């Protein structure tokens, strides 16, 4: 039976919590569909004050400083986890055991064992689960997938991706859990790289082995109180008063070669200390009959080359995304209006809610989350070992 | 005294109604501010069915097929007009006379006389009024203004703008009020051109005279029933059943030269039949010490050239918009996440609501709306006369 | 009878003289063809010293300070004029009267009367004549022409062009003949604009009327000795010693609307004081079934949009120029090697030499040169009169 | 003592021979310098007919089918080798032993042993030697070097490069020496990759270890007669008559991770079967205080980011190359005219001739050529071994 209202609890109140909240609140207006209604019931953060503040800001009915009041609450159907990486597993497993549907931000967990636990937990209960790889659902990327699946570029022979950011270049950016391997699992290759890995898997297939070289450019960072440590902005005056340093033991940058399960080769570059780049996810899929390029810098375009074109008109077309492309049909009647980061979460949340409603599996789900973790883990191992490392995808199905 | 809740009535339910509704609904979550709350009270459309459908879809409490139930209702503070151009004046004047604040979509009216009436009406009541020139508030454009005002490019010597779309190129797109001068006032120069004109005025100053050449490429269009006539999408099968033609008497394209009040020269090109272009608003402001370029195609970038750079590093910088730029501070903590068309309306509605709350004038307001109409009117006259036409800005202040 | 050697005299030794000389010298090697050989016989400049220096630098056998030693010499077949605009007519007419073939740099003359004289002269003798509108022969532009002629973009409905440079923005750039209407005829609209006008005529057709608005931003410039006055480079220390000013009476920038003979509309913008732009010629031709865009900034690409593409793959293709495109077949066996400004002159000179050899008319020829002058002249008149000015193309055929 | 004339012999007459010849012929005109004159004495190809044809086409005084008539001739000062890779060493060593200066196209040799022999030979005679890595001398690239050397981007932390072409994607392109490891040494990583490796070494430093993954997409190609086998163009009708296949045993694509001698990380991608790409060499150098990007697609631009810019004006500048940049001063008086592939050889040959004349070492020289070969060799070994392979730079100095 279709569920007519989905009651959500949000575990976390960082900046991503805002985008999730905006999406839940506008979902019905955007899609004008038979989607179930969404109620924002309860928001968690680590202190009563932070939780209350988050709930007020993002429009949640209640606040709590104990996430079990969400994972175990009778009035919650969907647990949405936007906590730090290391906290995902415990929360998700508890939620699954109490019969909740789960949306979990990426990466699924800070290590493979935790991610595997999460997958086991959701498979035991049969709930709907989704992981926050929002870029694969982005219209231009979903359209790339459609073109590949319909043979537009022929057999794929190469995959290339870079995900570059520059916030880590600033040595005055303080320590946070993102810079500790115990809590984050990995650095740029986990944080931003997991998105690129997910897109590679989505468009080409599973990755079976990995070779990586990583570097940490800023090896010590000032230890700051929680609120400050999450800041991405430079030049905060409060930073000047800090004096104790912590050790960064995750990668700032990782270059990685991979082999996909069908033998296709690929390379990835992730770097959150890349001067001049701002959230710049890009990729290119090369096939025997064409190629597809994308960059988040121009996120409303997809570049498509087809060997079917006459030789003198050979060239990448700059396709402008519009309502004729997948997942963009609800954002205006003409192409070129342009979608932004806020809109990515409408697409994600619509799919989550629709999947719950129809009792079907979401995509990307926890299996995709686990597989990305396995690739990240292999990359960390490879950078240490200096060898190819196998990716052992054996999800506990 | 600060108004703690603003009760809104929406006059119209076309595609722009959706973006307004999304903005009202999420305003508090986006800005986490001391903004007054917004209540979506009542939505109007021309039939009971259309109104009910619009209200349900966009989340308005009530529906009405008489807009006076909005303009004259005690439970409405703000009348938001998204009706066809020719209907703006009557509704706005009525709203003003009944003490409402007014947000009106662009162009302010289909003719100067109507626009003038609207200005007179709002000035008599002292209400807050705003016109939907959302592009001038867009972060990259607002940042351009900031750079100009702080002298970054020196004295302005030239302004250039193009606003290109291709929906009008399709001869099977049916007639609608947009193609009738009686109802729309003008074609591309009014519909999309008014945005470009507003940006020119915002960045450079008032326009004092205009020379224009216009063309209508598709002179007859099939007459279609209301719902169909608003469609922008091509290839609708219902169109094939139509047989009666109406005459298009507005411009599909207009090229225009202008002189600004300080003597600066400028040119504009508007064309809604420009093959390959999708909502492509672009402009360039040239100064004695630098230049600024923008294109909606890459709306999250601003290109800035400064003559202060060393000769061998001379070049436009591609600035990626982020939270350090005006009106973008609430859309994520790092640059490059990217904003879209939906976000433009948060910025507009925040300003409207804030202006009401503080009892101050909004910007762009009805004066800006009137002045844009006066320029459009001069363009239409000039294309007919083949002469420079003066723009007589004498707003009834 | 085919001419086996063409003996050239060059009138002038400015920077363009270098590019002509490079082309003559390498012509046989580039084209490996049955082209006649070219001999660089004699070079003129206004003093013996300058002429000797030019001849030595650019590899001419002899030098002269009397151009009649070229126009009237028995050992000269082709007179190549790279002198200032105002000197073209006297030299060309004399050359024609003495039975020479003539290549003349653009604009053909500084005024229409002179250009007309030149056309009359060459028509009386039946010599081969060409004007230096090298951009229309550029592979990407010639390919645009080919696409238009084969109907790829359907009936043309709009033409747009900008030619921007920034050398004139520098107020310390000294006076030269380029800034005097008596000698140059016009400013940016003649100097760089004539190229854009020629491309408009080439791709769309003759221009029948013109409306223009011009501005002179730098109204006084320091008078400098000949050598210095031709410099484009900024910051020359010798400039600091100058003190006498001359009056600039030509346009730094001109915006122009035009009507082509078939009624098609068009606009042009020329500005040699456009901050941040360097020799940036761009244009767009819009048709009923597609569009073509070009910019000299990326001169080895042509952007082509076709309405024949499926709706979801709609977009400009970035065609990379290669040996399959017109006039590029001799510059390497694969696309993407890239051609530059020096190569433009091979194409021009090959056509001149081939035309002489085959006894056929060159293109663009003096008629094209005259017609461009007539458009420039109409633009100057229009900017003064503030009215549409007719272009009276009645070449003395 | 300065050499007043340099007499050149050219070994080979393929398409690169043309560009070398164009450069020699115009060198004096381009540089107007005290460069020694260059005489094109003698050209070699494998048959009398091919040699005669090449000499005639490219303007060489004599032809020979024995390259020893060049390497051992008294009337030759400079031996310029444009033969297939496998033939370089024997010719160069012979030339060195007979006291000639040597310009050799890249890669220096098809294997490291041969390259080492060549280095030994030139070091024994003390001649001037240069290798054809023309891209490092290209103005935008040379300017990148200048910026790096003056500290503009701070300490380098990452290097990235791709060199993509698509000619190898066509399965009907016939076999040639380029597809045989015995003759070419390597495939894309040697042919185009050696350019990218040279740029990496030039800008960052020596490469000390390499990890590579390679693929051959087209494993069999039709065997064709010599003339045909060098063709890059598709669809040749003669190809249809071929029936015997040869085995391709070199890489079509290689992805490579490297470590530079100072520990800096880097990645390279080379692929001559990359759909949609045409001679697209690109790279990015990331530093602690900025970054530099280049693409041959827009070869007259360099993108430069500096962390010294204010936060809100942060962005890559698109610097347009002009006479103020290294190696571009002789190609016109203003920026933006644009240089092309032909011009690259003027720069290379000028340096060769100047180095001979001054008796100094050229750059890039045979040591650079050897080092690139060593990196290519390590890449081939690594792709086979699946391990990091050391690059043992121990040139026989």
């Amino acid at each position: 039976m279709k569920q007519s209202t989905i009651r959500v609890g949000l575990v976390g109140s960082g900046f991503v919590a805002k985008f999730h909240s905006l999406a839940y609140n506008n979902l019905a207006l955007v899609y004008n569909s038979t989607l179930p209604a969404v109620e924002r019931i309860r928001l968690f953060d680590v202190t009563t004050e932070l939780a209350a503040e988050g709930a007020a800001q993002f429009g949640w009915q209640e606040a709590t400083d104990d996430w079990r009041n969400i994972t175990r609450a009778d009035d919650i159907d969907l647990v949405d986890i936007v906590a730090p990486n290391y906290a995902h597993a415990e929360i998700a497993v508890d939620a699954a055991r109490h019969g909740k549907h789960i949306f979990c931000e990426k990466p699924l967990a800070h290590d493979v064992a935790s991610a595997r636990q999460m997958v086991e937990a959701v498979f035991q209960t049969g709930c709907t689960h989704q992981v926050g790889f929002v870029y694969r659902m982005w219209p231009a990327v979903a359209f790339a997938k459609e073109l590949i699946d319909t043979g537009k570029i022929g057999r794929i022979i190469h995959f290339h991706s870079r995900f570059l950011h520059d916030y880590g270049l600033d040595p005055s950016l303080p320590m946070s859990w993102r810079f500790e391997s115990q809590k984050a699992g990995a650095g740029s290759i986990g944080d931003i790289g997991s998105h690129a890995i997910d897109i590679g898997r989505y468009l080409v297939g599973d990755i079976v082995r990995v070779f990586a070289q990583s570097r940490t450019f800023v090896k010590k960072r000032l230890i700051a109180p929680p609120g400050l440590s999450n800041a991405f902005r430079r030049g905060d005056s409060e930073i000047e008063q800090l004096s104790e340093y912590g050790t960064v033991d995750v990668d700032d940058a990782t270059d990685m070669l991979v082999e996909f399960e069908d033998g296709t080769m690929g390379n990835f570059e992730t770097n959150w200390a890349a001067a001049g780049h701002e959230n710049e996810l890009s990729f290119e899929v090369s096939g025997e009959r064409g190629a597809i390029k994308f960059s988040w810098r121009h996120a409303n375009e997809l570049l498509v080359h087809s060997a079917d074109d006459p030789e003198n008109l050979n060239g990448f077309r700059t396709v402008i995304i519009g309502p004729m492309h997948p997942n963009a049909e609800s954002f205006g009647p003409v192409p070129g209006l342009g979608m932004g980061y806020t809109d990515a979460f409408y697409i994600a949340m619509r799919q989550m809610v629709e999947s719950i409603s129809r009792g079907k599996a979401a995509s990307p789900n926890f299996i995709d989350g686990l597989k990305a973790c396995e690739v990240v883990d292999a990359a960390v191992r490879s950078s240490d070992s200096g060898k190819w490392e196998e990716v052992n995808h054996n999800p506990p199905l």
Side-chain angles (χ1 to χ4, degrees), chain A residues 26 31 98 127 137 147 158 169 194 205 210 220 244 275 282 335 354 390:
Chain A
N26 259 346
Y31 290 108
H98 291 84
C127 67
M137 283 177 277
L147 290 171
H158 194 282
L169 191 59
S194 59
V210 156
K220 299 268 174 203
E244 202 183 339
S282 64
E354 208 165 62
E390 305 300 312

Side-chain angles (χ1 to χ4, degrees), chain A residues 183-228:
Chain A
K183 294 180 179 168
S188 74
I189 186 67
D191 188 36
I192 51 181
S194 59
H195 277 300
I197 290 164
D198 182 65
I199 287 177
R201 287 190 56 253
Y202 179 58
L203 298 180
V204 184
D206 277 339
I207 290 167
V208 295
R209 59 177 188 157
V210 156
F211 185 90
Q213 179 175 217
S214 300
R215 289 289 184 280
T216 305
F217 306 122
V218 182
K219 297 188 172 64
K220 299 268 174 203
R221 290 187 183 272
L222 286 160
I223 296 172
L228 201 54

Side-chain angles (χ1 to χ4, degrees), chain A residues 104-359:
Chain A
C104 184
E105 263 301 336
K106 44 55 58 183
L108 188 62
H110 65 301
D111 62 23
V112 169
S114 299
R116 194 173 303 266
Q117 272 189 310
M118 293 168 77
V119 168
E120 283 167 352
V122 296
F123 271 77
Q124 277 165 14
T125 67
C127 67
T128 297
H129 45 96
Q130 188 171 333
V131 64
F133 288 134
V134 294
Y135 293 112
R136 74 145 74 176
M137 283 177 277
W138 185 250
V141 182
F143 182 49
K145 172 71 168 165
E146 191 178 301
L147 290 171
I148 290 167
D149 287 352
T150 56
K152 186 74 186 172
I153 63 167
R155 193 172 68 85
I156 294 174
I157 58 177
H158 194 282
F159 180 78
H160 161 80
S161 179
R162 302 175 89 196
F163 201 152
L164 306 179
H165 230 312
D166 73 354
Y167 53 76
L169 191 59
D170 180 9
S172 71
L173 183 74
M175 276 300 288
S176 76
W177 61 265
R178 290 177 195 274
F179 296 113
E180 294 178 61
S181 66
Q182 285 288 75
K183 294 180 179 168
S188 74
I189 186 67
D191 188 36
I192 51 181
S194 59
H195 277 300
I197 290 164
D198 182 65
I199 287 177
R201 287 190 56 253
Y202 179 58
L203 298 180
V204 184
D206 277 339
I207 290 167
V208 295
R209 59 177 188 157
V210 156
F211 185 90
Q213 179 175 217
S214 300
R215 289 289 184 280
T216 305
F217 306 122
V218 182
K219 297 188 172 64
K220 299 268 174 203
R221 290 187 183 272
L222 286 160
I223 296 172
L228 201 54
S229 73
N230 268 315
F232 287 100
R233 301 285 301 276
R234 305 170 191 173
D236 198 308
S237 63
E238 296 178 58
I239 292 171
E240 291 172 22
Q241 299 168 17
L242 306 174
S243 59
E244 202 183 339
Y245 281 87
T247 299
V248 177
D249 62 356
V250 297
D251 64 295
D252 284 326
T254 292
D255 290 340
M256 177 167 77
L257 306 188
V258 306
E259 183 173 349
F260 292 92
E261 60 186 343
D262 67 352
T264 299
M265 70 197 298
N267 65 54
F268 292 78
E269 178 182 332
T270 64
N271 190 346
W272 63 25
H277 294 276
E278 308 289 355
N279 201 55
E280 190 167 336
L281 167 65
S282 64
F283 66 80
E284 176 163 2
V285 192
S286 300
E288 286 181 342
R289 300 294 301 154
I292 293 173
K293 290 197 289 189
F294 172 79
S295 168
W296 186 257
R297 276 286 300 282
H298 300 155
N300 291 291
E301 298 174 357
L302 189 71
L303 278 73
V304 181
H305 172 270
S306 168
D308 299 337
D309 285 334
E311 192 190 21
N312 66 355
L313 281 171
N314 204 9
F316 279 93
R317 298 155 201 224
T318 303
V319 176
I320 302 174
I321 298 300
M324 66 288 287
H325 297 114
N327 296 341
E329 67 288 334
S330 298
F331 295 86
V334 290
L337 295 179
M339 293 168 63
Y341 193 65
T342 54
D343 300 318
F345 292 89
Y346 292 128
I347 298 169
M349 292 316 167
R350 174 220 205 170
Q351 197 203 227
M352 183 71 203
V353 162
E354 208 165 62
S355 299
I356 293 172
S357 168
R358 297 187 185 169

Side-chain angles (χ1 to χ4, degrees), chain A residues 14-86:
Chain A
F15 89 85
V16 174
K18 178 173 180 172
F19 292 101
H20 286 225
S21 301
L22 290 173
Y24 287 131
N25 192 38
N26 259 346
L27 213 53
L29 275 63
V30 170
Y31 290 108
N32 182 32
S33 65
T34 53
L35 287 179
V38 174
E39 269 188 87
R40 280 163 292 144
I41 303 294
R42 197 169 296 120
L43 179 144
F44 157 86
D45 207 334
V46 289
T47 68
T48 314
E49 291 70 27
L50 286 170
E53 197 185 304
Q57 178 174 356
F58 303 139
W60 295 75
Q61 297 171 14
E62 297 172 18
T64 178
D65 63 358
D66 182 352
W67 51 261
R68 288 169 196 80
N69 288 336
I70 289 172
T71 55
R72 301 178 181 185
D74 288 344
D75 60 352
I76 296 289
D77 303 306
L78 166 57
V79 175
D80 182 349
I81 304 172
V82 295
N85 301 353
Y86 61 87

